């Protein structure tokens, strides 16, 4: 009875031994890419530069007791030029002793030149290749992307980590590959990516996220500055927290509110061929600073402050909307809203959207509440003498 | 049941271990001995008693054989066996001298037998036979010899006055030498009287046992600290002390031709399924073997699937655990010479329970139970997962973790699988060495072991520090499993899983896990599915599986087998009424 089992077990054993380990790849044999930059060369070729992690092992006993030096987490930037991403990758592989590993690449930076020409081709590579993460962050760099990668950050492990953390902080946009693809597939075919700018100060370069680039049909169309980007974040309901500073009343000294809760909603409506969007914003915050002479323990003054902040906020958003409507690129997500609420009308006027979009009337419905104004009213000791 | 009267066990009562001296004796009958299992019987009989053999090595030559066959060429196996069978089959004769001769022949070369011949005051001649050390001399002197020699029978030659004269309650009569020799070998004293054709057997067993201690393998912080010992009588007493009821049954079984190990099937009548008891009796009676030195051997004979790494009977040294299981309708087996009781049927989940669970507050016990299950999974899959992720799925780790691992693995010469196997095997070796080594050397091993699996190994550049972490966590978590044999099984199966992970990555782990799961599904312990009550799902029993419900909520007993099912464990109505009044 046990004979068939024995035969079977021999068969199974040989199965394991004969096949070996197909895809086994030790970490020691991987060139781990932490970030990649994609640029366009002058002769319209793709220049792929990658930031590779250099795993220098911890020095033996002597230094292990002391604080580890920053040299432990070195990165090195290598580049290769090819016809397209795949070609460049293959050429890059030729110059490396280890296998290129995309699985941990968290940051992809497109050079501005490439962005202007179109990011269709690299995006196709990134979504088709099984390794790159869909959650990797996308950036557009002002100037060459390679320069961003070469930056050696003193705080984080490497510049990729630094960029990712900055994006996660949500001061600017935080766009992943997946998100970009989703937005590009929406009705308006637009996307926005954060821009990385390099700040040169005292001979030290440090990139930071500043503003954003708008894309239409995979081509970079326009740039938004930081304030406009904040306005965009409000419209996209991506604001997590914000600080709004405005004069307490016209001509007064400024006051600031820290908004810890903020949400926004776009409500479309069509009346007699007039396309409208109502921006509903709900925000709650704490009074952060009040240099004016308003006594915030009085309710009337708080209401006054709320009004002031509301206007500032509205102005900020209006600026972004105005800019978008001027450029004619609907990166605000209006098209999607009309498509969802008025699908029939949308289908009819879809081809006409470029004309319609600048004419969309935007109303604002902002509810801003100062939840905690603090126990300090009018800070008497700080006021100048004589003023009430 | 292998009672001593069983035809097959009509074998000599000499449980001698075979020694090298027995080999030349068998050389002549190689044809005979190799033809059947007589071979096993021949060796002990060729050389009568182990105690004799140990006391005087010079006697262990063929020349020192029993007188009747002394000078002849070595007797054949059949001759020896027939001779013994003939002696054992003899009834107790009327004439005292005949009986003494028979006993002397049976126990020749047994230096520890004492046959004391004396005259009963005003009565017949008598002889008292017992084994030195096994029987309590003081009892014999004060309760058998003193009354018989000082008070006597007042001239009567009958049996009754003699029985009345001896002041020992535990007495029985034996009619033939099979029983007589059995009883003597167990430490009873046998009184042979001239003119009476039955021997009087008195229970004067001298209990030489170690004191009752806390079992080292199953310690608890709160709860009873008694543990079983090697004496079956003490063990059954420990159970009876917890279950003061005639419903606690103890069915005797004798296992082993030579060891004649006394075992007891114990259960609670009215709770345990009688079919389960019958099944146990049937499986035990099928055992026909020379000796059974421990319950773990019995376990191998009666379990359902001997090729599985998983224990299918629960073993415990704690009488309170046995009691708890008996109250759930399970049956237990205790055997002489083993401090470990077997509990059947056993399920995987019942082995994941620690006695401590029931002695701590139920909420805490539940949390600890989950912790235990979590860490059991870590034991099984921890190293394999590490190997799989590092060899195949590097993208699965968070970036910073991968970079850290990459740094520490940079100069390691081995692939992750080899590294893991190296460390895990080393750990197992150290663990084994720690158990086997004498206590005095044990500390040395732990010092060296800490070096081998530790900082020294890392600085030597042979293993990476994350690997040491994984091994350490695995090692710690493997000791969270309360049942030792289950713990060994789980530690053992993680090696094949590691190989699968090294060959196929996470896919391999899933495959291996499936194989193990299917195996667990097919296992049965006395007809009860091994994974019950999880699969097949018995919702009523989940109260004591994933959680440990508080005692007043455990209203029903678990249902194990058959239709015999005494369901309700408690009368809650009365309890509630009394609490609320």
């Amino acid at each position: 009875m046990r004979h068939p089992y024995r035969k079977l077990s021999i068969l199974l054993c040989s199965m394991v031994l004969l096949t070996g380990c197909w895809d086994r790849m030790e970490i020691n044999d991987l060139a781990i890419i932490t970030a990649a930059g994609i640029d366009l060369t002058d002769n319209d070729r793709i220049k792929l530069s990658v930031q590779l992690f250099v795993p220098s092992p911890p020095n033996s006993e002597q230094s292990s007791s002391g604080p580890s030096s920053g040299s432990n987490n070195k990165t090195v930037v290598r580049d290769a030029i090819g016809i397209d991403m795949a070609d460049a990758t293959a050429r890059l592989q030729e110059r490396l002793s280890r296998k290129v590993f995309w699985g941990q690449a968290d940051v992809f930076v497109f050079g501005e030149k490439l962005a202007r020409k179109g990011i269709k081709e690299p995006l196709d590579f990134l979504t088709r290749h099984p390794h790159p993460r869909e959650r990797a962050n996308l950036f557009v760099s002002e100037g060459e992307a390679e320069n961003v990668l070469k930056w050696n950050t003193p705080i984080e492990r490497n510049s990729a980590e630094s960029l990712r953390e900055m994006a996660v902080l949500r001061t600017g946009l935080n766009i992943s590959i997946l998100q970009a693809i989703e937005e590009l597939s929406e009705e308006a075919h637009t996307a926005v990516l954060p821009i990385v700018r390099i700040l040169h100060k005292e001979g030290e370069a440090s990139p930071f996220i500043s503003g954003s680039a708008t894309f239409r049909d995979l081509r970079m169309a326009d740039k938004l500055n930081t304030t406009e980007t904040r306005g965009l974040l409000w419209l996209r309901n991506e604001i997590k927290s914000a600080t709004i500073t405005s004069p307490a009343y016209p001509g007064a000294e400024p006051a600031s509110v820290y908004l810890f809760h903020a949400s926004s909603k776009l409500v479309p409506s069509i009346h007699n061929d007039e396309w409208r969007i109502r921006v509903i914003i709900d925000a709650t915050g704490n009074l952060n600073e009040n240099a004016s002479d308003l006594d915030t323990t009085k309710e009337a003054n708080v209401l006054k402050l709320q009004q002031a902040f509301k206007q500032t906020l509205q102005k900020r958003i209006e600026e972004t909307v105005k800019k978008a409507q001027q450029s004619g690129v609907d990166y605000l997500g209006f098209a999607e809203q009309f498509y969802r609420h008025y699908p029939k009308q949308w289908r009819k006027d879809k081809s006409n959207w470029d004309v319609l979009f600048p004419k969309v009337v935007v109303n604002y419905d902002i509810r801003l509440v100062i939840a905690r104004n603090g126990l300090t009213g009018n800070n008497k000791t700080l006021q100048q003498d004589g003023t009430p | 049941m292998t009672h001593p009267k069983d035809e097959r066990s009509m074998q000599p009562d000499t449980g001698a271990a075979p020694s090298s001296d027995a080999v030349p004796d068998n050389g002549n009958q190689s044809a005979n001995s190799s033809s059947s299992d007589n071979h096993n019987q021949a060796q002990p009989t060729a050389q009568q008693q182990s105690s004799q053999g140990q006391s005087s090595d010079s006697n262990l030559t063929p020349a020192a054989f029993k007188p009747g066959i002394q000078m002849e060429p070595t007797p054949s196996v059949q001759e020896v066996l027939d001779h013994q069978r003939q002696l054992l089959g003899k009834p107790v004769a009327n004439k005292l001298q005949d009986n003494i001769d028979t006993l002397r022949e049976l126990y020749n070369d047994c230096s520890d037998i004492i046959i004391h011949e004396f005259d009963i005051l005003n009565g017949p001649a008598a002889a008292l036979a017992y084994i030195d050390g096994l029987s309590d001399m003081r009892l014999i002197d004060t309760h058998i010899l003193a009354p018989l020699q000082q008070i006597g029978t007042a001239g009567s030659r009958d049996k009754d006055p003699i029985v009345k004269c001896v002041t020992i309650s535990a007495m029985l009569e034996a009619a033939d030498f099979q029983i007589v020799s059995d009883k003597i070998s167990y430490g009873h004293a046998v009184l042979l009287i001239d003119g009476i054709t039955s021997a009087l057997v008195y229970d004067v067993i001298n209990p030489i046992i170690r004191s009752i201690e806390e079992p080292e393998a199953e310690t608890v912080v709160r709860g009873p600290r008694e543990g079983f010992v090697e004496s079956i009588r003490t063990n059954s007493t420990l159970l009876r002390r917890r279950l003061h009821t005639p419903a606690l049954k103890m069915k005797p079984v004798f296992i082993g031709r030579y060891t004649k190990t006394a075992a007891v099937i114990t259960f609670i009548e009215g709770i345990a399924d009688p079919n389960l008891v019958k099944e146990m009796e049937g499986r035990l009676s099928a055992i026909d073997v020379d000796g059974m030195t421990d319950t773990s051997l019995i376990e191998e004979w009666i379990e359902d699937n001997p090729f599985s790494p998983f224990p299918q009977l629960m073993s415990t040294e704690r009488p309170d655990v046995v009691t708890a299981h008996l109250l759930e309708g399970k049956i237990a087996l205790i055997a002489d010479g083993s401090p470990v009781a077997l509990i059947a049927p056993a399920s995987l989940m019942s082995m994941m329970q620690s006695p401590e669970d029931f002695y701590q507050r139920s909420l805490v016990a539940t949390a600890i139970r989950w912790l235990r299950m979590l860490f059991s999974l870590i034991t099984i899959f921890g190293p394999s997962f590490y190997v799989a992720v590092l060899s195949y799925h590097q993208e699965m780790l968070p970036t910073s973790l991968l970079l850290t691992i990459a740094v520490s693995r940079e100069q390691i010469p081995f692939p992750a699988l080899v590294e893991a196997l190296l460390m895990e095997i080393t750990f197992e070796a150290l663990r084994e060495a720690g158990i086997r080594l004498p206590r005095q050397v044990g500390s040395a091993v732990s010092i060296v072991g800490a070096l081998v699996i530790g900082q020294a190994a890392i600085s030597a550049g042979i293993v990476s520090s994350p690997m040491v972490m994984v091994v350490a966590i695995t090692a710690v978590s493997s000791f969270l499993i309360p049942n030792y044999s289950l713990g060994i099984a789980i530690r053992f199966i993680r090696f094949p899983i590691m190989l699968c992970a090294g060959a196929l990555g996470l896919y391999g782990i899933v495959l291996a896990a499936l194989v193990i799961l299917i195996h667990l599904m097919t296992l049965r312990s006395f007809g009860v599915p091994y994974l019950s009550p999880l699969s097949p799902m018995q919702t009523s029993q989940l109260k004591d599986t994933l959680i440990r419900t508080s005692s007043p909520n455990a209203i029903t007993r678990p249902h194990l087998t058959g239709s015999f099912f005494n369901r309700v464990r408690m009368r809650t109505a009365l309890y509630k009424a009394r609490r609320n009044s």
Side-chain angles (χ1 to χ4, degrees):
Chain A
M1 261 317 279
R2 237 185 289 148
H3 235 65
Y5 284 112
R6 200 175 301 164
K7 277 181 190 167
L8 193 71
S9 64
I10 292 169
L11 215 68
L12 284 173
C13 281
S14 60
M15 228 169 80
V16 169
L17 293 174
L18 286 175
T19 49
C21 310
W22 295 305
D23 303 330
R24 195 173 63 82
M25 204 71 217
E26 289 298 325
I27 291 185
N28 310 22
D29 305 327
L30 293 178
I32 301 168
I33 296 175
T34 50
I38 303 139
D39 287 307
L40 197 67
T41 60
D42 292 332
N43 48 0
D44 270 6
R45 294 201 161 210
I46 297 270
K47 180 177 160 199
L48 172 69
S49 34
V50 291
Q51 187 183 59
L52 297 171
F53 179 70
V54 183
S56 50
N59 305 336
S60 47
E61 299 91 64
Q62 299 99 341
S63 69
S64 63
S65 53
S68 58
S69 53
S71 66
N72 260 359
N73 300 314
K74 270 193 295 187
T75 52
V76 69
V77 177
R78 291 275 179 276
D79 55 47
I81 296 171
I83 303 160
D84 61 0
M85 276 285 278
D87 186 41
T89 310
R91 281 174 200 282
L92 182 72
Q93 183 66 76
E94 286 169 12
R95 297 177 198 176
L96 291 173
S97 60
R98 298 183 172 197
K99 191 160 183 336
V100 167
F101 180 67
W102 287 100
Q104 297 285 354
D106 278 331
V107 166
F108 291 96
V109 186
F110 299 116
E112 192 178 345
K113 204 171 157 194
L114 177 82
R116 295 256 181 226
K117 197 205 159 210
I119 54 168
K120 177 174 175 242
E121 189 271 316
L123 262 189
D124 185 73
F125 175 83
L126 293 181
T127 46
R128 202 179 288 277
H129 196 288
H131 269 161
R133 297 177 168 186
E134 283 180 334
R135 284 172 53 212
N137 283 89
L138 292 181
F139 295 96
V140 171
S141 76
E142 220 170 44
E144 286 233 332
E146 192 176 356
N147 296 336
V148 178
L149 302 188
K150 277 184 179 160
W151 167 47
N152 225 337
T153 170
I155 300 174
E156 299 287 347
R157 230 172 164 147
N158 47 50
S159 54
E161 182 76 5
S162 197
L163 282 177
R164 206 179 56 80
E165 293 288 348
M166 274 195 249
V168 167
L169 270 180
R170 296 261 175 166
T171 49
L173 283 163
N174 178 19
I175 304 285
S176 65
I177 296 184
L178 186 67
Q179 227 172 325
I181 297 284
E182 271 174 13
E183 278 173 28
L184 286 167
S185 65
E186 278 174 8
E187 288 301 316
H189 302 291
T190 56
V192 269
L193 296 185
I195 289 183
V196 183
R197 188 169 293 163
I198 300 176
L199 185 74
H200 292 280
K201 204 173 184 185
E202 294 164 9
E204 214 181 312
S206 61
F208 66 105
I209 297 174
S210 138
S212 46
T214 62
F215 282 78
R216 185 186 190 177
D217 295 334
L218 292 158
R219 230 172 248 120
M220 183 168 155
D222 204 0
K223 269 192 207 171
L224 301 183
N225 64 22
T226 320
T227 334
E228 288 156 354
T229 307
R230 295 291 294 175
L232 182 64
L233 287 176
W234 277 104
L235 286 165
R236 289 163 62 99
N237 192 18
E238 279 180 17
I239 285 282
K240 289 278 172 270
S241 63
T243 305
I244 294 174
T245 307
S246 97
Y249 51 89
E253 283 183 81
S256 289
V257 65
Y258 173 76
L259 301 176
F260 53 81
H261 163 85
S263 67
S264 72
K265 209 168 131 187
L266 302 179
V267 180
S269 61
I270 302 178
H271 289 294
N272 314 325
D273 274 2
E274 194 188 48
W275 295 45
R276 283 185 189 183
I277 286 272
R278 199 151 61 97
V279 181
I280 303 172
I281 286 174
D282 204 342
T284 319
N286 298 339
L287 191 64
N288 235 8
E289 190 180 329
N290 177 25
S292 73
D293 51 2
L294 280 185
D295 183 359
T296 50
T297 48
K298 302 254 166 23
E299 196 193 350
N301 290 341
V302 174
L303 290 177
K304 217 186 266 181
L305 271 177
Q306 283 183 6
Q307 199 57 38
F309 290 135
K310 218 184 274 183
Q311 275 164 8
T312 315
L313 180 57
Q314 182 171 339
K315 217 176 282 167
R316 205 183 261 188
I317 300 168
E318 265 173 355
E319 252 172 65
T320 313
V321 173
K322 215 180 282 169
K323 176 138 188 174
Q325 287 185 328
Q326 273 168 10
S327 69
V329 184
D330 173 23
Y331 43 81
L332 308 174
F334 287 0
E336 189 69 15
Q337 293 302 328
F338 281 113
Y339 166 63
R340 283 185 190 171
H341 288 84
Y342 298 92
K344 281 179 196 162
Q345 210 126 357
W346 171 256
R347 244 170 258 137
K348 203 168 67 195
D349 293 328
K350 191 175 169 183
S351 51
N352 212 15
W353 181 240
D354 282 350
V355 184
L356 280 173
F357 174 64
K359 285 191 230 158
V360 171
V361 179
V362 184
N363 299 322
Y364 298 91
D365 187 352
I366 300 177
R367 195 177 150 267
L368 191 149
V369 178
I370 297 177
R372 285 176 275 277
N373 45 13
L375 293 172
T376 334
N378 195 353
N379 202 336
K380 285 258 170 19
T381 53
L382 293 180
Q383 297 300 329
Q384 286 149 354
D385 283 334
T387 44
Chain B
M1 280 171 48
T2 324
H3 280 300
K5 276 192 173 173
D6 195 316
E7 198 273 326
R8 276 172 158 175
S9 62
M10 294 278 281
Q11 298 295 338
D13 201 7
T14 51
S19 75
S20 57
D21 295 279
V23 177
D25 308 337
N26 284 330
N28 296 349
Q29 301 94 32
S30 56
N32 191 359
S33 55
S34 61
S35 61
S36 67
D37 65 340
N38 283 344
H39 182 68
N40 294 332
Q41 302 158 6
Q43 286 181 346
T45 50
Q47 181 190 324
Q48 282 289 323
Q49 187 83 7
S50 65
S51 57
Q52 171 82 358
Q54 283 154 9
S55 60
S56 53
D57 277 351
S58 58
N59 287 346
L60 292 179
T61 52
F65 273 147
K66 44 185 91 170
I69 43 177
Q70 188 178 11
M71 296 311 292
E72 293 165 21
T74 40
S76 75
V77 172
Q78 207 52 51
E79 276 170 31
V80 173
L81 291 181
D82 283 347
H83 181 65
Q84 288 170 344
R85 199 165 290 164
Q86 181 229 331
L87 284 175
L88 287 172
K90 273 188 182 173
V92 177
N94 197 24
K95 207 175 159 200
L96 179 63
Q97 197 51 50
D98 289 352
N99 290 336
I100 292 171
D101 288 347
T102 313
L103 264 187
R104 286 212 189 281
E105 205 169 346
L106 265 175
Y107 282 93
N108 81 319
D109 285 352
C110 299
S111 63
D112 53 350
I113 183 94
I114 293 177
I115 300 177
H116 175 64
E117 295 174 47
F118 63 100
D119 287 326
I120 297 172
L121 187 67
N122 300 326
L128 190 67
Y130 58 93
I131 286 178
D132 194 9
L134 267 183
S135 305
D136 190 341
M137 293 276 225
R138 214 180 307 160
L139 272 179
I140 293 174
D141 290 350
T142 53
H143 293 282
I144 303 178
L145 287 180
L148 285 178
Q149 290 186 324
Q150 287 164 14
I151 300 164
T153 57
S156 166
R157 304 187 76 83
D158 291 340
K159 189 168 63 184
D160 286 350
I162 296 168
V163 172
K164 278 176 193 157
C165 191
V166 175
T167 51
I168 290 179
S169 64
M171 187 214 86
L172 57 89
E173 287 180 42
D176 63 48
F177 276 92
Q178 175 71 54
I179 301 175
V180 167
S181 65
D182 275 348
K183 291 297 173 188
I184 290 177
S185 301
Y186 262 101
H188 296 243
V190 172
L191 185 64
L192 296 160
I193 305 144
D194 192 32
I196 296 173
T197 53
S198 64
L200 303 183
V201 180
Y202 291 98
D203 183 350
V204 286
I205 297 174
N206 182 21
I208 309 172
I209 44 164
R210 108 189 126 92
S211 61
I212 295 172
E213 292 159 12
E214 184 174 18
E216 279 179 21
E218 296 169 83
T219 48
V220 291
V221 176
R222 184 178 169 182
R225 303 208 198 290
E226 279 178 338
F228 284 134
V229 293
E230 282 78 3
S231 152
I232 190 170
R233 195 41 72 208
T234 313
N235 292 352
S236 67
T237 314
L238 285 173
L239 288 180
R240 185 69 76 176
R241 280 227 302 255
R242 285 173 170 76
L243 293 159
H244 305 273
T245 164
L248 175 67
K249 301 298 178 194
M250 301 206 176
K251 285 198 172 183
V253 183
F254 294 89
I255 304 164
R257 293 175 190 157
Y258 289 91
T259 58
K260 292 196 177 140
T261 311
V264 157
I265 305 171
T266 149
F267 58 96
I268 296 178
E269 195 179 43
I271 299 181
D273 187 350
N275 287 323
L276 209 55
V277 180
K278 249 180 237 160
E279 177 69 25
M280 179 65 105
E281 281 179 325
R283 289 188 189 189
L284 285 174
S285 68
I287 303 174
D288 181 23
V289 68
D290 274 355
M292 203 59 92
T293 49
D294 190 73
T295 43
S296 49
L297 293 172
I298 303 178
E299 188 181 348
E300 286 184 353
W301 283 82
I302 61 175
E303 66 194 350
D304 294 49
N305 189 345
F307 292 103
S308 169
F310 293 96
Q312 292 140 59
L313 282 104
M314 188 165 162
S315 50
T316 181
E317 284 187 59
R318 302 183 58 91
D320 53 322
V321 172
V322 174
T323 309
H325 280 96
L326 290 181
L327 286 170
E328 288 189 347
K330 295 180 180 174
I331 55 177
L333 182 79
I334 47 179
D336 208 15
S338 170
V340 177
L342 296 179
I343 298 168
S347 68
L348 184 70
M349 293 321 280
S350 69
M351 284 188 233
M352 293 295 289
Q353 299 172 356
S354 143
E356 185 90 36
D357 284 2
F358 299 92
Y359 303 136
Q360 294 294 350
R361 302 190 57 76
S362 69
L363 211 62
V364 179
T366 303
I368 291 173
R369 212 172 254 194
W370 285 355
L371 189 78
R372 203 178 289 145
M373 283 179 223
L374 172 75
F375 274 79
S376 307
L377 287 179
I378 290 179
T379 313
I380 304 175
F381 296 115
S384 350
F385 189 77
Y386 180 79
V387 168
V389 167
L390 250 64
S391 315
Y392 293 93
H393 314 281
Q394 294 91 352
E395 66 276 0
M396 276 185 60
L397 289 176
T399 309
S400 0
L401 180 59
L402 182 83
L403 297 189
T404 310
I405 293 177
V407 168
S408 62
R409 268 197 60 83
E410 186 53 27
Q411 287 188 338
I412 308 301
F414 305 114
L417 174 67
V418 176
E419 195 190 356
L421 282 178
L422 198 74
M423 289 302 280
E424 292 288 354
I425 292 174
T426 312
F427 166 70
E428 289 299 318
L430 282 172
R431 189 188 55 76
E432 184 65 17
I435 298 173
R436 299 291 158 241
L437 272 173
R439 293 249 158 102
Q440 295 86 332
V441 202
S443 62
V445 170
S446 58
I447 292 166
V448 177
L451 286 177
V452 173
I453 322 185
Q455 197 59 44
I458 299 171
S459 28
I462 294 170
V463 288
S464 59
S465 32
M467 189 68 234
V468 173
M469 276 282 299
V470 170
V471 172
I473 290 173
T474 315
V476 169
S477 48
S478 71
F479 291 114
L480 255 75
I481 299 163
N483 189 296
Y484 185 69
S485 20
L486 184 67
I488 292 183
I490 283 181
R491 274 206 292 277
F492 163 74
I493 58 169
R494 73 175 198 266
F495 286 99
I497 300 179
M498 241 187 277
L499 289 177
C500 285
L504 295 168
L506 285 182
Y507 179 58
I509 294 183
V510 171
L511 282 188
L514 273 180
V515 169
I516 291 167
L517 199 64
I518 291 170
H519 173 68
L520 285 174
M521 301 277 237
T522 55
L523 277 186
R524 294 279 186 282
S525 171
F526 281 75
V528 176
Y530 199 52
L531 285 184
S532 71
L534 294 177
S535 157
M537 179 73 90
Q538 286 164 297
T539 38
S540 64
Q541 283 175 50
L542 291 181
K543 275 183 184 174
D544 191 19
T545 304
L546 298 178
I547 59 168
R548 203 282 279 178
T549 186
S550 63
S551 176
N553 288 330
I555 296 166
T556 55
R557 300 194 180 98
H559 177 232
L560 302 168
T561 47
S563 54
F564 187 92
F565 177 27
N566 186 358
R567 204 174 134 76
V568 179
R569 197 195 304 244
M570 58 187 66
R571 281 187 294 170
T572 43
L574 191 64
Y575 168 76
K576 279 174 190 160
R578 283 180 183 163
R579 279 297 290 266
N580 293 337
S581 61

